[in-house]
């Protein structure tokens, strides 16, 4: 696959942004992971990859270890949110009331 000049520059810029907060190896692994996620979701545009990496960057995720920790905590956070909603439905209270 041949990358165009703009895409190649975008990849370099993305790697630099992440490298400023970790190292080249971690930045490369994160970019590879974002591409893997895009492919697994049937997305073939780099804008989808940039959306993933932008969320990670804004969330302070600069290493694979940090990404894995977030992925492990997401199901727990979602489960807690579901439990709170169920509780509020039973009691008639809203989450803000608690």
């Amino acid at each position: 696959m041949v990358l165009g000049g703009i895409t190649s520059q975008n990849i370099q810029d993305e790697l630099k942004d992440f490298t400023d907060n970790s190292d080249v190896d971690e930045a490369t692994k994160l970019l590879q992971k974002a591409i893997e996620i895009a492919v697994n979701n049937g997305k073939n545009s780099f804008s989808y990859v940039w959306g993933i990496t932008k969320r990670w960057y804004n969330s302070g995720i600069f290493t694979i270890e940090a990404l894995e920790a977030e992925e492990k905590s997401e199901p727990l956070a979602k489960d807690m949110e579901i439990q709170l909603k169920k509780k509020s439905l039973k009691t008639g209270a809203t989450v803000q009331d608690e």
Side-chain angles (χ1 to χ4, degrees), residues 6-76:
I6 293 172
T7 300
S8 179
Q9 185 62 48
N10 286 344
I11 291 171
Q12 289 176 14
D13 292 345
E14 202 70 10
L15 286 172
K16 182 184 180 320
D17 287 346
F18 279 90
T19 301
D20 288 345
N21 294 286
S22 62
D23 60 45
V24 174
D25 187 47
E26 284 296 324
T28 302
K29 287 177 184 177
L30 280 175
L31 189 54
Q32 289 172 335
K33 182 68 174 178
I35 293 169
E36 177 185 318
I37 291 169
V39 169
N40 288 339
N41 285 306
K43 307 296 181 184
N44 61 355
S45 72
F46 277 104
S47 63
Y48 191 85
V49 174
W50 306 150
I52 293 169
T53 57
K54 181 178 181 177
R55 184 179 67 79
W56 291 345
Y57 187 89
N58 291 335
S59 297
I61 297 170
F62 303 111
T63 64
I64 291 294
E65 184 179 334
L67 177 61
E68 290 171 350
E70 185 208 23
E71 289 174 342
K72 287 179 183 176
S73 69
E74 280 182 4
L76 179 60

